Amino acid sequence: MNLARRVLTTLALVAVVTTVPAPGSASARRPTATTFGGTPPVGALFITGFFPLHICTASVVRSADRSVIMTAAHCIRSGTGAGYEFAPGFHDGKAPYGMWRVATAYAAPGWIRHFDTRDDFAFLVVEPKRIDGRMRRLQDVTGANRLGRTPRAGSTATVIGYPLGIGGSGIRCRSTIYRRPPFSGFNCNGFRDGTSGGPWLAGHGPDRRVVGVVGGLHQGGCTAAQLYAAPLGDAAHRALRRAGHRGRADRFPAPPGDGC
């Protein structure tokens, strides 16, 4: 993870995303992530002015405002989230649905007050864009997945992320979830810096839901083969409701190190 630390020093903004091995796991049993052409509700998160070097991954979640994306709380290094931009469906260094500017950010109180790793998730509201002569909200352009809850051990999910680098495309991997209470764990080779905030997706079609984002323990982990996600419960759903109704936004303090 030396590359992440160099970028963190340069931009004060990069997040580490992978984890220590799960008990009893073996690398021979881990699948390997593959690149793909992207999906509209998932994209890369940038600092304004640094395109095409992204910092994290985010995804569109259903909300009353129809303008909310979800990522890891540790991806917001400080402030209100203003100055970040989201590129849904990002692939091959291109933003096919344009860049959407973040206006405000919301998190659980546990993260804002004392960086509780069980609350390592955040919801960002993006501003509408003028497209073909009229103002459009993000969810109406890309679609969205609904926010779920902590998955059961033994269930499966597909994790999507954007590894750190100039341009590039997303990766995805389907695997079985295990539990390292209170966190969810996921074994897959290939997830590197930049995939923090990437959604863990379960279900299909209109039932597709985000059951985690890369983050939590060690801000998602310490190696490139296993991931963690913070539990999603009432605190996450309350934060989403505040974002969806444009309640009083949070001001994020700079997070501590990942402890790796």
Side-chain angles (χ1 to χ4, degrees):
M1 292 303 162
N2 289 335
L3 175 59
R5 291 186 174 89
R6 287 197 297 270
V7 176
L8 179 59
T9 299
T10 303
L11 302 181
L13 219 143
V14 116
V16 176
V17 297
T18 46
T19 96
V20 294
S25 65
S27 60
R29 295 198 298 269
R30 297 178 195 135
T32 297
T34 57
T35 59
F36 76 117
T39 181
V42 184
L45 190 64
F46 299 81
I47 307 173
T48 301
F50 283 92
F51 185 89
L53 178 61
H54 76 283
I55 54 159
C56 279
T57 302
S59 64
V60 189
V61 289
R62 295 183 196 172
S63 68
D65 189 71
R66 307 184 69 81
S67 300
V68 177
I69 62 175
M70 184 179 186
T71 189
H74 72 261
C75 289
I76 310 304
R77 305 302 295 189
S78 63
T80 63
Y84 289 70
E85 291 183 299
F86 176 61
F90 186 70
H91 67 89
D92 299 317
K94 300 174 182 176
Y97 300 94
M99 303 294 289
W100 298 72
R101 186 180 296 271
V102 173
T104 53
Y106 300 79
W111 180 266
I112 299 298
R113 292 172 184 165
H114 50 267
F115 305 116
D116 191 331
T117 53
R118 295 171 296 181
D119 293 329
D120 190 4
F121 46 78
F123 300 93
L124 315 181
V125 178
V126 300
E127 297 171 349
K129 282 179 65 71
R130 185 171 296 279
I131 300 175
D132 296 330
R134 64 190 182 97
M135 298 304 290
R136 302 285 300 277
R137 295 185 182 272
L138 176 62
Q139 187 175 321
D140 298 324
V141 174
T142 63
N145 299 304
R146 66 184 180 89
L147 180 64
R149 291 182 178 264
T150 306
R152 297 188 306 273
S155 60
T156 58
T158 298
V159 178
I160 297 176
Y162 283 86
L164 184 71
I166 300 294
S169 297
I171 59 173
R172 63 184 173 188
C173 186
R174 185 167 180 82
S175 190
T176 302
I177 295 168
Y178 65 89
R179 297 286 293 158
R180 183 167 174 176
F183 305 100
S184 299
F186 184 96
N187 296 342
C188 187
N189 295 307
F191 281 82
R192 307 190 310 274
D193 303 290
T195 59
S196 279
W200 299 32
L201 299 172
H204 302 280
D207 186 50
R208 199 166 203 196
R209 59 203 182 278
V210 179
V211 297
V213 296
V214 177
L217 184 62
H218 296 304
Q219 297 182 2
C222 297
T223 75
Q226 289 153 319
L227 311 175
Y228 290 130
L232 294 183
D234 291 345
H237 285 262
R238 284 193 294 267
L240 174 58
R241 283 195 295 272
R242 286 198 297 127
H245 290 94
R246 300 244 181 173
R248 182 178 179 180
D250 293 315
R251 179 168 290 277
F252 285 61
D258 52 36
C260 295

